[in-house]
Amino acid sequence: SPQGRSKKKSRKHQRFMERRALLEQKGLLSPRGRLGSRTPEAGLEALTALAKANGTAAPCCDKVPKPKRVVSASLSPSASPDSIARHHSVLLSQGNGSSKRVRTSSLVLRPGKYVAIDCEMVGTGPQGRLSELARCSVVNYEGDVIYDKYVQPELPIVDYRTRWSGITKQHMKNAIPFKAAQAEILKILKDKIVVGHAIHNDFQALKYFHPKDRTRDTSQIPVLKKRAGLPVRANVSLKNLARHLLHKKIQVGCKGHSSVEDAQTAMELYRLVEVQWEKELAHSLPPRPPSPITDPTADSSQYLDDQYWPTDLMASGL
């Protein structure tokens, strides 16, 4: 009768809830009310564990709604430079050449991976011929300042080079030691694609070498020189590129350069030709080496991780 079936169903539901409470206590299931926040895969694992503990068969996989497969427009934070460049190329090949796709491609490629840097140097050593770091500025993809500090060189300053550097004796009163600044700056540059103009000079002042495939030097981009109507092989200054392409004046006046302004300008120039430049880089990248053949004798300690243990073994061990 319907009444008998409802009683049977009620007892079965009661046993189900008791087992569920026990599994929640053991940590095999999240507390009630939170299952909705789980991923589909985690939810399926929880239902499977619950069904096994309750002595019933696990739900059939084909009844679980599968998430729609959507090709993500963004890359993971750990994306390598070559995958970023190739992603640029894929976007261009998929698009219809519309200006909207070109404008939004920069946002698609995780702008948090990009920074621009500029350093100002002073003269130390015999007759001030050695160049040492005295100020460093770093900006993000949007041009916002994320680092700007004056740095005390390791050797006594002989020439402040104020006409070009903008550095004066007054600035050195609050300057931090070179080693401290170096550690802070390198932490920012780690795993980033770094933009700059004649950027090798900045890296030299930092006593640092940044991977070539993660470096974008605006003084070495033929695309920018062509766009400005300048000879491709000519050494073009940041000031001239800014005047021709961005229609703005920088490095003017007698107070010297601003490393913040120069870093922001380098990033603006990069963004101006970003898609085309990255596409060319993608085509020039060497083919990836084949995946190494798995050695049966290789270290197998990784398989001791929990993820490789059978579900029923883990449940019985708790």
Side-chain angles (χ1 to χ4, degrees), residues 85 90 109 116 126 148 161 170 172 209:
V90 170
L109 294 172
D148 183 30
R161 303 178 186 175
Q170 187 72 18
M172 290 297 104
F209 174 78

Side-chain angles (χ1 to χ4, degrees), residues 132-134 150-155 157 172-173 175-178:
E132 287 199 55
L133 182 68
Y150 290 99
V151 182
Q152 183 68 52
E154 294 180 303
L155 296 175
I157 299 174
M172 290 297 104
K173 289 185 178 180
I176 66 173
F178 171 76

Side-chain angles (χ1 to χ4, degrees), residues 15-31:
R15 289 197 301 270
F16 177 85
M17 295 304 293
E18 289 174 356
R19 295 300 300 169
R20 177 173 180 166
L22 181 61
L23 287 171
E24 286 178 358
Q25 186 179 358
K26 290 186 176 183
L28 289 173
L29 280 178
S30 294

Side-chain angles (χ1 to χ4, degrees), residues 292-303:
I293 300 174
T294 305
D295 183 2
T297 62
D299 180 23
S300 59
S301 59
Q302 57 172 322
Y303 296 109

Side-chain angles (χ1 to χ4, degrees), residues 117-163:
I117 188 172
D118 187 76
C119 298
E120 300 297 343
M121 276 73 82
V122 293
T124 63
Q127 300 178 345
R129 291 180 181 176
L130 292 177
S131 292
E132 287 199 55
L133 182 68
R135 183 186 181 186
C136 181
S137 303
V138 183
V139 302
N140 63 15
Y141 187 84
E142 287 77 25
D144 301 322
V145 178
I146 56 178
Y147 189 90
D148 183 30
K149 289 186 181 182
Y150 290 99
V151 182
Q152 183 68 52
E154 294 180 303
L155 296 175
I157 299 174
V158 177
D159 184 359
Y160 283 91
R161 303 178 186 175
T162 307
R163 180 181 172 185

Side-chain angles (χ1 to χ4, degrees), residues 167-315:
I167 306 293
T168 64
K169 188 175 183 180
Q170 187 72 18
H171 292 135
M172 290 297 104
K173 289 185 178 180
N174 296 320
I176 66 173
F178 171 76
K179 290 292 184 183
Q182 183 190 47
E184 293 174 351
I185 297 164
L186 299 194
K187 187 176 181 180
I188 296 173
L189 302 187
K190 184 181 179 183
D191 298 328
K192 297 288 196 305
I193 291 178
V194 185
V195 180
H197 193 84
I199 200 169
H200 61 278
N201 293 322
D202 302 310
F203 290 152
Q204 187 175 0
L206 286 167
K207 298 182 180 179
Y208 168 69
F209 174 78
H210 197 69
K212 187 176 180 181
D213 62 342
R214 292 177 180 262
T215 303
R216 304 291 185 267
D217 191 339
T218 53
S219 70
Q220 302 295 325
I221 315 177
V223 179
L224 276 175
K225 297 176 185 178
K226 288 178 184 177
R227 192 159 179 167
L230 301 169
V232 175
R233 301 198 175 191
N235 291 323
V236 184
S237 67
L238 183 68
K239 182 177 181 178
N240 284 336
L241 285 175
R243 181 165 55 89
H244 282 91
L245 297 175
L246 303 176
H247 307 292
K248 75 176 193 177
K249 295 180 179 180
I250 63 170
Q251 301 176 356
V252 293
C254 57
K255 293 185 178 180
H257 301 177
S258 165
S259 52
V260 169
E261 184 181 53
D262 289 355
Q264 290 172 334
T265 302
M267 183 60 84
E268 285 183 65
L269 289 169
Y270 169 75
R271 292 180 61 172
L272 196 64
V273 294
E274 177 183 2
V275 173
Q276 187 177 353
W277 191 10
E278 295 293 343
K279 182 183 177 183
E280 291 179 0
L281 283 175
H283 290 160
S284 64
L285 287 170
R288 290 187 177 184
S291 300
I293 300 174
T294 305
D295 183 2
T297 62
D299 180 23
S300 59
S301 59
Q302 57 172 322
Y303 296 109
L304 294 176
D305 293 345
D306 292 355
Q307 59 179 319
Y308 295 101
W309 289 23
T311 309
D312 53 347
L313 180 61
M314 290 189 66

